[in-house]
């Protein structure tokens, strides 16, 4: 295998490089999928979040620290201004004034993995409004009348929500690529056409079945847009006999809130085909059925009256759930249509779950519990090739770190730090990387903490960055030392005053009687320094820096054929050089 040119760096001798340190165990961390209990196979196995676990083992030797020039990664503030509740709305004729404490006040949600779970829990706790057929139609009219929306706009946002929700639950992978969108004659069908376009741009392979085309410019425009993307339109009679073989996901966009009576041809047959797909045991692998606004064929208010209707895996309610959604028992219920203005919320007293961050969809019901052993993503990522990586692992790290920041990942500087004590017992925790330069990784902590204790006994440590959304992991191993006092002093005073007080209050890792102890101490300090005077850095608080001897860059790939490139140090002509090798996944 061709090897990239070795990169030479000057050699340093570590103050820790004593014979005893060299014999101490060196921690290694990597993400593993953990097999767990067996489960009821009929229960939903869908995952929306990967669940990383850290496994730490101990082996190895010590290494050498280098001078530090820290550059702080971007600070993330969970209460950034764009998350504030919106200002009160202007009053419109026919609508009540927006009141303070109106039922819907978007709480400041936090983006990312934790926030999804929190949103789901909050949504589950809150009572969500369900609309009658009449109210749904009335809201539609008001949006497109006095409230100034056009049908095109609402349809675009509705279809985008559907595509976003599909992509959130059925992440793009080998198992979830081929989507059939069945579109009806009305606006529900229009939502389906829009969703097809967005799914295409998200990387899915959509096909559309649109048997009763509406001769209006809005619809013919949507069809033209799909044709320009070479998205196939399949006549109902030409649909493959076994939909399970040809499609991973079927989007039901046949009927929405204007449905009445019993389905007429050709939709009666199409609905029947979806019903037979839902019958358990009909096929080894069934496509997921996603219904837009209402499961087609269901009564808009009563739901699946005789119990013989389609049983979607997912429902994306638009604007607000309709009454029939109370009967939906599938694992994934989402809200879409992030356009409802306060006059509508107030007039109808709508209680809806908040949309997390910039998301176009919000989970209404709690996500189903997940069988950990079934958690398996089939990653689709760009290849990580020896010929493309930087010869210096710090440059490669900074390149990936920049990409993680650009991708909007929440706290990409969060890393698992694994330390090992004198007895060889490892321990891991998340810390925030506060500086990285050409030689070291820096973070700050309490010198009385368990990690500090471990490091005083054994300077070997491992760092692990896991950027789930990018299918990337970086392992860094090396030796740790304290940063100079003046460095810690400088960083301490750059922190928000609240964090400075928090650092003084917390005697980290010691047992305390209760939360009140911290709150009381914090209050007293807050009072003491209320004049804005300098808060002195406590002696027991400061930084550490790790000088790596090993890096591994991991990029998830399809069928578990992941890329793993390891950088280790070699002696070349009396210098230390980074050597790159590919490891088997
Ligand atoms: N603000 C909002 O709320 C937004 C709403 N949006 C979306 O609009 C949807 C409502 O759209 P919609 O009003 O066009 O009606 P929809 O349900 O698509 O179907 C009507 C068509 O079906 C037909 N049809 C009816 N019964 C039938 C039967 N038994 N068998 C056969 N055909 C039957 C009916 O024909 P007709 O009975 O009139 O002859 C008509 O052609 C809503 O659910 C949401 O998805 C978003 O786009 C944006 C924001
Ligand atoms: K539908």
């Amino acid at each position: 295998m061709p090897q990239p040119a070795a990169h030479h760096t000057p050699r340093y001798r570590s103050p820790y490089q004593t014979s005893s340190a060299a014999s101490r165990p060196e921690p290694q961390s990597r993400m593993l999928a953990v097999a767990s209990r067996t489960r009821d196979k009929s229960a939903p196995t869908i995952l929306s979040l990967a669940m990383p676990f850290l496994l730490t083992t101990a082996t190895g030797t010590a290494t050498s620290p280098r001078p530090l020039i820290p550059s702080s990664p971007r600070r993330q503030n969970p209460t950034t201004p764009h998350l504030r509740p919106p200002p009160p709305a202007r009053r419109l004729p026919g609508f009540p004034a927006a009141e303070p404490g109106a039922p819907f006040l978007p709480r400041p949600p936090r983006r990312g993995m934790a926030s999804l779970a929190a949103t789901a829990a909050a949504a589950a706790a809150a009572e969500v409004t369900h609309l009658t057929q009449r109210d749904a139609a009335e809201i539609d009219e008001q949006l497109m009348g006095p409230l100034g929306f056009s049908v095109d706009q609402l349809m675009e946002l509705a279809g985008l929500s559907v595509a976003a929700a599909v992509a959130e639950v059925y992440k793009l992978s080998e198992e979830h690529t081929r989507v059939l969108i069945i579109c009806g004659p009305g606006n529900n069908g229009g939502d389906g056409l829009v969703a097809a376009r967005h799914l295409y741009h998200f990387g899915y392979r959509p096909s559309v079945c649109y048997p009763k085309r509406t001769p209006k410019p809005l619809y013919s425009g949507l069809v033209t847009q799909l044709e320009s993307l070479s998205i196939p339109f399949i006549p109902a009679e030409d649909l493959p006999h076994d939909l399970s073989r040809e499609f991973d996901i079927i989007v039901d966009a046949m009927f929405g809130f204007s449905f009445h009576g019993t389905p007429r041809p050709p939709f009666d047959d199409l609905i029947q085909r979806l019903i037979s797909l839902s019958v358990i045991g009909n096929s080894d692998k069934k496509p997921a059925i996603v219904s837009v606004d209402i499961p087609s064929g269901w009564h808009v208010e009563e739901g699946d009256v005789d119990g013989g209707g389609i049983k979607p895996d997912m429902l994306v309610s638009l604007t607000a759930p309709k009454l029939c959604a109370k009967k939906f028992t599938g694992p994934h219920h989402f809200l879409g249509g992030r356009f409802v203005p306060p006059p509508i919320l107030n007039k109808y007293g709508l209680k809806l779950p908040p949309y997390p961050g910039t998301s176009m969809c919000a989970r209404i019901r709690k996500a189903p519990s997940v069988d950990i052993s079934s958690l398996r993503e089939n990653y689709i990522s760009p290849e990580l090739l020896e010929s493309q990586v930087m010869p210096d692992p710090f440059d490669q790290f900074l390149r990936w770190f920049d990409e993680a920041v650009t991708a909007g990942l929440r706290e990409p500087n969060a890393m698992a730090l694994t330390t090992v004590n004198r007895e060889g017992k490892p321990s891991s925790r998340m810390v925030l990387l506060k500086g990285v330069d050409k030689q070291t990784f820096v973070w700050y902590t309490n010198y009385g903490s368990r990690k500090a204790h471990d490091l005083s006994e054994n300077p070997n440590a491992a760092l692990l960055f896991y950027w789930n959304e990018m299918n990337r992991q970086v392992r860094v191993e090396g030796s740790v030392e304290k940063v100079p006092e003046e460095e810690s002093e400088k960083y301490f005073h750059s922190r928000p005053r609240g964090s400075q007080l928090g650092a003084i209050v917390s005697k980290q890792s010691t047992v305390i009687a209760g939360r009140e102890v911290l709150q009381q101490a914090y209050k007293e300090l807050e009072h003491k320094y209320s004049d804005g005077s300098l808060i002195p850095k406590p002696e027991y608080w400061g930084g550490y820096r790790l000088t790596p001897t090993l890096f591994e860059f991991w990029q998830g790939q399809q069928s578990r054929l992941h890329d793993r490139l390891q950088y280790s140090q070699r002696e070349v002509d009396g210098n230390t050089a980074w050597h790159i090798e590919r490891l088997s996944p």
Side-chain angles (χ1 to χ4, degrees):
M1 184 196 309
Q3 292 297 324
H7 181 74
H8 295 261
T9 50
R11 201 166 147 208
Y12 286 81
R13 179 151 181 84
S14 163
Y16 292 115
Q17 215 162 2
T18 59
S19 52
S20 62
S23 65
R24 281 179 200 145
E26 181 179 286
Q28 301 177 334
S29 301
R30 79 288 321 247
M31 290 295 179
L32 283 190
V34 176
S36 82
R37 65 201 149 82
T38 51
R39 62 187 288 278
D40 171 10
K41 289 278 182 249
S42 65
T45 59
I46 306 307
L47 80 133
S48 57
L49 303 175
M51 274 190 174
F53 288 83
L54 263 172
L55 179 80
T56 304
T57 55
T59 54
T61 55
T63 134
S64 42
R66 312 257 166 95
L68 166 75
I69 315 157
S71 64
S72 289
R74 183 184 292 185
R75 222 192 159 76
Q76 306 243 349
N77 186 345
T79 53
T80 41
H82 73 280
L83 296 175
R84 280 191 309 243
R90 196 162 56 90
R91 189 169 175 184
L92 290 162
F95 293 97
E99 290 161 27
F104 177 86
L105 250 197
R107 269 160 276 162
R110 285 155 52 108
R111 270 175 39 96
M113 296 199 267
S115 77
L116 286 176
T119 305
E127 183 64 33
V128 173
T129 310
H130 290 77
L131 297 174
T132 60
Q133 188 168 26
R134 200 173 137 192
D135 280 352
E138 204 179 279
I139 288 174
D140 203 31
E141 280 165 26
Q142 286 168 4
L143 284 169
M144 284 185 275
L147 290 165
F149 287 93
S150 67
V151 62
D152 311 34
Q153 266 186 303
L154 298 179
M155 197 176 279
E156 187 63 31
L157 291 167
L160 177 59
S161 302
V162 171
V166 167
E168 184 166 324
V169 172
Y170 305 107
K171 289 206 176 110
L172 183 62
S173 64
E174 233 173 11
E175 290 155 50
H176 296 130
T177 310
R178 304 163 304 165
V179 191
L180 172 66
I181 298 113
I182 309 179
C183 299
N187 288 351
N188 198 259
D191 296 346
L193 296 173
V194 172
R197 169 160 42 78
H198 288 291
L199 286 168
Y200 170 90
H201 288 296
F202 292 170
Y204 293 82
R205 280 170 37 213
S207 304
V208 174
C209 174
Y210 186 26
K212 282 251 181 272
R213 300 196 181 191
T214 311
K216 285 185 186 165
L218 166 60
Y219 294 86
S220 50
L222 293 173
V223 168
T224 305
Q225 290 159 28
L226 296 179
E227 284 170 346
S228 76
L229 299 171
S230 304
I231 291 174
F233 278 79
I234 311 176
E237 57 279 13
D238 292 349
L239 280 174
H241 173 70
D242 187 357
L243 295 175
S244 305
R245 273 177 193 268
E246 305 295 327
F247 301 105
D248 310 315
I249 301 164
I250 299 180
V251 176
D252 148 35
M254 287 180 263
F255 302 119
F257 62 64
S258 297
F259 174 78
H260 48 86
T262 48
R264 299 189 293 271
F267 298 104
D268 51 352
D269 270 358
L270 289 166
I271 288 175
Q272 203 50 50
R273 294 193 68 174
L274 297 195
I275 292 170
S276 54
L277 276 180
S278 322
V279 177
I280 295 171
N282 227 14
S283 162
D284 289 346
K285 183 186 169 288
K286 293 191 295 275
I289 299 176
V290 180
S291 286
V292 178
D293 208 17
I294 283 161
S296 297
W298 283 25
H299 189 281
V300 176
E301 296 183 355
E302 307 293 327
D304 185 11
V305 183
D306 61 5
I310 64 175
K311 309 230 168 346
D313 303 276
M314 180 166 168
L315 172 64
V316 185
S317 292
L318 295 167
T319 308
K322 315 302 170 290
L323 275 168
C324 66
K326 288 191 174 179
K327 307 280 168 63
F328 172 70
T329 53
H332 306 288
H333 189 187
F334 278 75
L335 179 68
R338 194 174 183 176
F339 47 64
V340 184
I344 292 286
L345 294 167
N346 295 328
K347 182 166 179 179
Y348 294 88
L350 299 188
K351 276 182 161 182
L352 300 171
Y355 288 88
T358 55
S359 179
M360 294 309 293
C361 57
R363 222 178 232 287
I364 291 183
R365 203 178 301 143
K366 198 170 162 294
S369 57
V370 160
D371 167 23
I372 295 170
S373 65
S374 72
L375 287 177
R376 192 174 299 113
E377 290 264 343
N378 211 339
Y379 307 102
I380 298 181
S381 320
E383 284 173 327
L384 179 65
L385 299 176
E386 291 86 332
S387 55
Q388 292 165 356
V389 292
M390 313 287 273
D392 187 314
F394 280 97
D395 291 334
Q396 181 61 30
F397 177 83
L398 288 172
R399 179 195 269 182
W400 271 21
F401 188 82
D402 282 351
E403 287 171 7
V405 172
T406 308
L409 264 57
R410 185 169 167 258
E411 296 196 315
N413 58 329
M415 58 186 186
L417 162 68
T418 300
T419 55
V420 179
N421 70 7
R422 184 185 284 135
E423 286 91 50
K425 284 192 181 157
S427 61
S428 300
R429 76 288 292 159
M430 300 302 292
V431 295
L432 289 179
L433 176 71
K434 285 296 166 189
V436 57
D437 59 14
K438 273 281 198 178
Q439 280 106 23
T440 60
F441 288 79
V442 177
W443 68 94
Y444 291 85
T445 186
N446 187 306
Y447 287 151
S449 62
R450 174 164 175 195
K451 57 183 137 5
H453 192 75
D454 286 357
L455 289 168
S456 71
E457 295 182 350
N458 177 357
N460 296 312
L463 307 176
L464 182 66
F465 296 86
Y466 181 57
W467 297 317
N468 172 48
E469 293 84 344
M470 306 183 80
N471 302 332
R472 284 177 176 174
Q473 169 185 278
V474 184
R475 294 166 65 168
V476 185
E477 295 171 20
S479 173
V480 177
E481 63 177 343
K482 284 182 180 172
V483 309
E485 189 61 14
E486 59 276 17
E487 204 74 68
S488 295
E489 190 79 39
K490 198 167 145 202
Y491 175 67
F492 182 81
H493 294 297
S494 76
R495 304 173 86 210
R497 285 175 76 80
S499 306
Q500 295 182 32
L501 296 180
I504 301 177
V505 165
S506 170
K507 309 284 179 280
Q508 210 176 57
S509 305
T510 58
V511 176
I512 51 172
R515 193 165 167 72
E516 324 73 67
V517 178
L518 298 176
Q519 279 160 341
Q520 184 56 33
Y522 187 92
K523 235 187 199 160
E524 286 164 15
L525 282 174
E526 207 176 21
H527 179 68
K528 185 172 168 187
Y529 294 106
S530 58
D531 58 355
S533 59
L534 187 84
I535 302 168
K537 177 186 87 62
E539 267 174 33
Y540 51 81
W541 192 94
Y544 282 105
R545 62 190 190 191
L546 178 142
T547 305
T549 48
L550 191 100
F551 284 77
E552 184 194 313
F553 294 86
W554 178 95
Q555 171 83 69
Q557 295 294 359
Q558 289 197 51
S559 306
R560 327 320 284 170
L561 299 180
H562 311 309
D563 289 313
R564 294 179 63 189
L565 293 184
Q566 176 179 278
Y567 291 67
S568 57
Q569 290 189 321
R570 299 274 166 92
E571 295 286 318
V572 180
D573 302 331
N575 288 320
T576 306
W578 288 107
H579 181 69
I580 304 175
E581 287 163 312
R582 177 170 290 269
L583 303 182
S584 172

